[in-house]
Amino acid sequence: MPLLAGTVTFARFQAELPKAAAQDTRRWLQRALKQGAFKPLDPAAGAEDRSAGFVALEDHDATDFPLGQGLEGDYALFGYRVDQIRIPAAQLKAELGRWLASFEQEHGRKATRGEKAHAKDAIRSVLRQRTPPSSKVHDVSLDWKTGALQLWAASRSLVEEVAEAVEAAFGAKLQPRNLAGHAAEAGLEGKALAPTGALFGADLPGAEEVADVEA
């Protein structure tokens, strides 16, 4: 299972889970994972450049999720896979430049704006089919008894994306387990998190005299 201690980067949430999580954990987990399962990109079939979803933690190509897969004691363990096709801008620019030079030589004139745009789309489509997608999998662990969820990712936007995917597929409500999340749970306003004088020594003896001199 994913590392729960040491030097790692992960986000923590507290999940409010539906009753099905305790009533029939294996089927609840299977349905949730299948609902949000990863679908491979097919460059020849469409124009999608990104695909994301749940995969088995031990096999990042597996999305069939047999009953009970991913359960280790009180933990549901799975991965969130993101595949993306990125065409380097320099490569696209170089290919388009070659096409423009060839067009001008063949027709004795420069390509119009519309012809250039059409050629750029065609070149992008060809490059897209030749470019293998990059793939990355982020580990997720969920204690289905306590609702403690850990997500191994550093990007804030990706953390939010996975959290939304978990909420949608698992029928859960997630609360971040960070300073802001604890404050919201306690009903505190944002100003309550502002630094106090103790942080920079304003309450130490002589601090007022120093402040007067600096002013």
Side-chain angles (χ1 to χ4, degrees):
M1 68 180 283
L3 185 67
L4 295 180
T7 305
V8 293
T9 300
F10 65 95
R12 295 186 298 171
F13 293 86
Q14 181 63 36
E16 183 180 332
L17 302 175
K19 293 181 179 180
Q23 293 174 344
D24 194 340
T25 306
R26 295 192 303 168
R27 294 192 183 280
W28 165 76
L29 178 61
Q30 182 187 49
R31 285 195 297 266
L33 292 176
K34 284 188 174 182
Q35 181 175 329
F38 171 80
K39 296 179 180 179
L41 284 171
D42 185 355
E48 293 295 329
D49 290 335
R50 188 179 189 275
S51 181
F54 302 132
V55 294
L57 194 60
E58 64 274 13
D59 182 357
H60 297 164
D61 291 323
T63 56
D64 51 345
F65 303 114
L67 193 65
Q69 184 182 49
L71 277 180
E72 296 289 342
D74 294 344
Y75 286 91
L77 308 175
F78 52 95
Y80 188 81
R81 176 174 168 177
V82 179
D83 279 20
Q84 193 163 4
I85 297 176
R86 288 192 176 96
I87 300 173
Q91 184 180 7
L92 179 59
K93 183 178 180 180
E95 293 287 347
L96 181 59
R98 284 191 283 269
W99 182 90
L100 291 172
S102 176
F103 182 93
E104 186 172 353
Q105 183 178 6
E106 180 180 351
H107 295 86
R109 65 175 178 85
K110 293 184 177 181
T112 64
R113 182 178 297 180
E115 289 169 334
K116 181 179 178 180
H118 180 75
K120 186 175 182 179
D121 289 340
I123 293 171
R124 185 190 299 275
S125 178
V126 171
L127 292 177
R128 183 177 177 275
Q129 295 186 41
R130 294 177 180 173
T131 305
S134 62
S135 183
K136 191 165 185 179
V137 178
H138 303 272
D139 294 358
V140 183
S141 70
L142 170 64
D143 186 327
W144 58 269
K145 283 189 175 181
T146 67
L149 182 143
Q150 289 90 22
L151 163 61
W152 274 256
S155 166
R156 180 176 179 179
S157 60
L158 182 63
V159 168
E160 292 176 351
E161 176 185 336
V162 180
E164 290 177 1
V166 170
E167 285 185 324
F170 285 75
K173 183 177 180 181
L174 301 185
Q175 178 68 38
R177 304 307 291 173
N178 53 25
L179 185 59
H182 286 302
E185 191 176 42
L188 298 177
E189 297 181 0
K191 62 182 181 181
L193 303 179
T196 64
L199 181 64
F200 46 85
D203 57 347
L204 295 177
E208 294 183 358
E209 288 79 357
V210 173
D212 290 341
V213 171
E214 291 182 346

